[in-house]
Amino acid sequence: MSEKKGRPTPKRKAVEEQRVLKRLAPAATKEAKKLQKKQSRIARNAQREAYMRGDENALPPRDRGAVRKFVRDYVDSRRSIGEFFLPVIVLVLFMTIVPVIQVQLAAIILMYSILGLSFIDGFFLSQKIKREVRKRFPEDAAAGGAKGVGLYGWLRSTQIRRLRAPLPRVTRGTKL
């Protein structure tokens, strides 16, 4: 038989309160709070800069790996219709305000045509990406590590180049 511990078992409520107090550990003084906020801000900024640079450790799981890095570079090395979709939508918004029916109709036609072209471009881009990934990373493609790369590349191509995260590492026209 085991020996007794010599004290009563603490109530669950008391144990949970102690755990919460240990976890929070608030700063005691105003200076300590300011220092804690400053350190937190510096850590967040460092994390964001690492993410924007594309450091592997700072990336979320969906962006990690050599395959995803290649897809980002592949998409960033070319122009796509999808990256012009948002600016065109802003133009369409202003065109629909004009009280001339022909301008409004042209705006709607422009919007749907750029949307359709974006989908077509995205489909072909997705096929090219899948083909290149199978060729360059056969072990990852066979193991299922290249799953979803076509959609990943297409979604990146629909973002305005300057707003992509992580930032593009290659210039347009770069041969990969």
Side-chain angles (χ1 to χ4, degrees):
M1 286 207 135
S2 65
E3 295 182 30
K4 292 189 175 188
K5 57 187 170 193
R7 60 180 168 79
T9 302
K11 298 287 184 191
R12 176 179 290 198
K13 186 175 180 181
V15 172
E16 287 178 353
E17 285 175 1
Q18 288 298 318
R19 193 172 353 149
V20 168
L21 288 176
K22 284 181 184 176
R23 192 172 13 149
L24 294 179
T29 64
K30 283 187 178 182
E31 293 81 25
K33 287 180 185 179
K34 284 183 182 179
L35 180 64
Q36 193 176 34
K37 276 187 178 181
K38 185 178 179 183
Q39 289 173 341
S40 176
R41 188 179 320 113
I42 290 170
R44 276 194 316 273
N45 288 341
Q47 176 71 18
R48 173 139 176 87
E49 287 173 9
Y51 171 68
M52 294 307 279
R53 277 193 315 268
D55 288 351
E56 194 72 21
N57 296 333
L59 295 175
R62 68 153 202 251
D63 292 332
R64 287 188 184 156
V67 174
R68 300 293 172 120
K69 186 176 183 180
F70 167 74
V71 171
R72 286 193 302 271
D73 290 345
Y74 187 83
V75 169
D76 294 339
S77 69
R78 64 188 292 278
R79 288 191 190 274
S80 69
I81 296 169
E83 67 186 282
F84 300 110
F85 183 71
L86 285 175
V88 167
I89 291 300
V90 172
L91 175 68
V92 166
L93 179 67
F94 287 117
M95 288 174 70
T96 57
I97 294 173
V98 176
V100 179
I101 194 74
Q102 289 85 1
V103 174
Q104 293 175 349
L105 184 61
I108 292 171
I109 291 170
L110 176 65
M111 179 184 67
Y112 282 117
S113 61
I114 199 82
L115 180 65
L117 289 172
S118 176
F119 277 121
I120 292 167
D121 182 49
F123 175 77
F124 287 116
L125 173 65
S126 176
Q127 297 304 313
K128 287 180 191 175
I129 287 172
K130 289 176 185 176
R131 192 176 323 117
E132 284 294 319
V133 166
R134 280 193 298 269
K135 187 171 85 174
R136 294 176 189 235
F137 303 96
E139 65 283 348
D140 284 340
K147 188 175 183 181
V149 293
L151 182 62
Y152 179 76
W154 178 56
L155 289 176
R156 184 167 176 90
S157 76
T158 61
Q159 298 170 353
I160 298 172
R161 185 175 170 86
R162 283 179 281 150
L163 301 179
R164 293 177 184 168
L167 292 172
R169 298 179 323 117
V170 296
T171 59
R172 285 196 174 122
T174 303
K175 296 290 181 188
L176 297 176

